[in-house]
């Protein structure tokens, strides 16, 4: 399988995505919103959640498994808290609308917390936490996902990769952006390794017998991802606990399907034996900084925090320690100028969409 990369204009890819969503009768505003979430993933170097995901959205919409024009509504509301039903809409549309509700509630009450049910894959978690920074807030986001992760001492999939993101703004420094799966690796990284035909690091996956493996095929064919930290002795129980926390806040609390009952996003994944709710779930939070201290004072303190940690003595062979969000900030600066590199397998998927819909696929940059 080819590992060759071809570069495309970010704006051209965003417009292609928009046209694909419009093809299904999604409104222009919502289509552009969905494309914006995918675009930011590619710009920030989170390749598994950008254009590489578009064919799956295309397949789900084609089969009628996603509602292209959902009636997204608040079904329970109390001051700074509410539950939103996404009416089985695109997570790329439901997520941003629910996140806006959380921020609006924070404007009114100091903080806002929104649990969401009846939705699906919402893209990168940091898209939502970064949005809060535009309103001088601290942003939180999380989602549950299809079962892919074994619990500690378990040999079967029971939890999703269940990512968490929190973002904090600075003034002179880029924001601190925490965004991670609660599994040892995101499923998209397994897919990328499979496309490239390379092994994954030890500690990421087990096979269907519960044994460690570095072959991505073993995980995909009945194996499982391990929790963040891998084995119990290496802190895997902490990743498992974080995944459980996300599962409960996003899905037990909202009325979505939790744990092994979360419905699949990719078509080849196993359909759960029963339903315990509606769709998958998200959870968004926003906190007004000025409820704690003056906004500029906080941002200056974040700048100082960053500078102190950046001046940590690095280990041998490293120039400096990483601040959460550093790799993505650096990649975004490069890709906004030079374009988005795509694997040939992703390009083939996008050209297949073009062939099926008649939407022109852009020329390489």
């Amino acid at each position: 399988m080819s590992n060759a990369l071809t570069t495309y204009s970010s704006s051209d890819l965003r417009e292609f995505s928009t046209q694909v969503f419009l093809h299904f009768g999604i409104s222009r505003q919502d289509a552009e919103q969905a494309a914006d979430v995918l675009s930011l993933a590619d710009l920030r170097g989170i390749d598994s959640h950008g254009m590489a995901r578009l064919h799956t959205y295309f397949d789900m919409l084609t089969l009628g498994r996603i509602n292209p024009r959902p009636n997204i509504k608040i079904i329970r509301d109390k001051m700074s808290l509410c539950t939103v039903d996404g009416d089985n809409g695109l997570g790329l549309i439901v997520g941003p609308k629910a996140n806006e509700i959380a921020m609006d509630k924070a404007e009114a009450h100091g903080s806002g917390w929104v649990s969401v049910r009846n939705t699906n894959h919402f893209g990168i978690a940091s898209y939502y936490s970064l949005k809060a920074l535009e309103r001088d807030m601290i942003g939180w986001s999380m989602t549950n996902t299809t079962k892919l992760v074994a619990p500690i001492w378990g040999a079967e999939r029971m939890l999703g990769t269940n990512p968490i993101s929190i973002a904090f703004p600075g003034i002179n420094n880029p924001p601190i952006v925490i965004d991670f799966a609660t599994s040892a690796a995101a499923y998209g990284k397994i897919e990328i390794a499979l496309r490239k035909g390379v092994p994954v690091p030890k500690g990421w996956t087990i096979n269907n017998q519960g044994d460690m493996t570095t072959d991505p095929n073993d995980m995909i064919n009945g194996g499982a991802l391990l929790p963040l930290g891998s084995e119990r002795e290496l802190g895997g129980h902490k990743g498992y606990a974080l995944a459980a926390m996300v599962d409960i806040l996003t899905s037990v609390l909202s009325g979505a399907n939790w744990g092994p009952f979360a419905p699949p996003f990719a078509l080849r994944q196993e359909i759960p034996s029963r339903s315990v709710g509606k769709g998958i779930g998200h959870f968004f939070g926003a906190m007004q900084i000025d409820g704690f201290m003056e906004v500029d004072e906080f941002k200056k303190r974040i700048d100082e925090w960053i500078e102190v940690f950046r001046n940590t003595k690095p280990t041998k062979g490293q120039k400096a320690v990483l601040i959460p969000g550093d790799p993505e900030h650096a990649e975004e600066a490069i890709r906004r100028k030079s374009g988005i590199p795509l694997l040939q397998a992703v390009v083939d998927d996008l050209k297949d969409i073009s062939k099926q819909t008649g939407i022109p696929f852009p020329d390489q940059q």
Side-chain angles (χ1 to χ4, degrees):
M1 188 173 292
S2 173
N3 294 337
L5 295 170
T6 311
T7 303
Y8 294 86
S9 157
S10 173
S11 60
D12 285 350
L13 292 177
R14 187 187 295 110
E15 179 58 23
F16 179 75
S17 297
T18 300
Q19 292 300 319
V20 170
F21 292 127
L22 287 171
H23 173 79
F24 292 100
I26 293 170
S27 71
R28 175 161 285 277
Q29 181 180 358
D30 284 351
E32 290 176 350
Q33 170 64 83
D36 191 52
V37 181
L38 296 182
S39 177
L40 188 66
D42 280 326
L43 282 168
R44 290 180 67 78
I46 309 172
D47 297 330
S48 58
H49 284 57
M51 296 304 289
R53 275 275 180 267
L54 186 60
H55 207 297
T56 304
Y57 292 110
F58 174 80
D59 291 340
M60 297 289 276
L61 284 161
T62 298
L63 293 170
R65 296 192 185 181
I66 293 176
N67 181 359
R69 301 184 75 89
N71 178 23
I72 300 164
K73 59 186 178 182
I74 294 173
I75 56 170
R76 191 177 180 91
D77 196 5
K78 188 172 185 179
M79 301 289 285
S80 62
L81 313 169
C82 75
T83 299
V84 166
D85 188 294
D87 194 24
N88 194 32
L90 270 172
L92 305 174
I93 295 168
V94 177
K97 290 188 177 179
N99 193 42
E100 284 290 330
I101 292 169
M103 292 186 286
D104 290 345
K105 283 186 169 291
E107 289 279 5
H109 304 293
S111 70
W113 305 94
V114 178
S115 198
V116 188
R117 75 181 190 196
N118 204 5
T119 179
N120 54 71
H121 197 280
F122 76 174
I124 56 170
S126 52
Y127 179 88
Y128 304 96
S129 57
L130 282 165
K131 280 293 179 184
L133 306 192
E134 298 173 10
R135 294 169 66 167
D136 283 335
M137 298 177 183
I138 294 167
W140 301 65
S141 66
M142 37 190 109
T143 185
N144 81 329
T145 69
T146 310
K147 64 174 185 177
L148 291 167
V149 183
I152 285 296
W153 299 335
E156 63 176 317
R157 304 175 183 185
M158 292 295 288
L159 285 162
T161 55
N162 295 10
I164 301 171
S165 180
I166 309 171
F168 305 96
I171 293 179
N172 298 316
N173 287 296
I176 295 172
V177 184
I178 296 165
D179 183 354
F180 62 92
T182 53
S183 53
Y187 181 64
K189 291 186 177 180
I190 309 301
E191 291 180 311
I192 289 171
L194 188 68
R195 285 186 176 124
K196 290 183 175 180
V198 298
V200 298
K202 184 179 179 182
W204 279 17
T205 63
I206 55 175
N207 62 22
N208 58 13
Q209 300 300 308
D211 300 319
M212 288 267 197
T213 179
T214 60
D215 185 344
N217 287 288
D218 288 342
M219 182 269 150
I220 288 170
N221 296 323
L225 293 169
L226 288 169
L228 182 65
S230 186
E231 298 174 295
R232 173 71 169 80
E233 293 74 16
L234 298 175
H237 59 296
K238 298 175 184 178
Y240 171 40
L242 284 171
M245 177 196 76
V246 172
D247 205 42
I248 291 165
L249 287 174
T250 61
S251 300
V252 176
L253 187 62
S254 70
N257 288 287
W258 44 263
F261 308 109
F265 183 61
L267 296 179
R268 66 177 175 272
Q269 292 171 343
E270 179 187 353
I271 298 195
S273 58
R274 66 186 177 99
S275 175
V276 294
K278 292 185 175 181
I280 67 163
H282 313 319
F283 187 81
F284 300 102
M287 301 188 302
Q288 286 257 45
I289 292 168
D290 67 5
F292 301 97
M293 64 168 57
E294 292 299 318
V295 173
D296 282 351
E297 181 186 356
F298 176 74
K299 290 180 178 179
K300 288 174 184 176
R301 288 173 66 81
I302 287 291
D303 275 355
E304 184 180 15
W305 190 97
I306 290 170
E307 286 152 15
V308 166
F309 273 80
R310 209 179 288 288
N311 288 326
T312 303
K313 178 182 176 181
T315 56
K316 189 175 181 179
Q318 301 295 333
K319 292 181 180 179
V321 301
L322 285 175
I323 305 300
D326 272 356
E328 292 81 9
H329 296 323
E331 196 63 32
E332 184 173 357
I334 293 167
R335 292 186 177 195
R336 283 194 181 275
K337 293 179 180 178
S338 62
I340 308 298
L342 299 179
L343 284 167
Q344 186 57 48
V346 175
V347 173
D348 290 344
D349 277 351
L350 299 176
K351 287 183 175 179
D352 179 64
I353 293 173
S354 176
K355 182 178 178 181
Q356 291 190 55
T357 60
I359 299 167
F361 184 67
D363 294 329
Q364 65 188 74
Q365 187 165 287

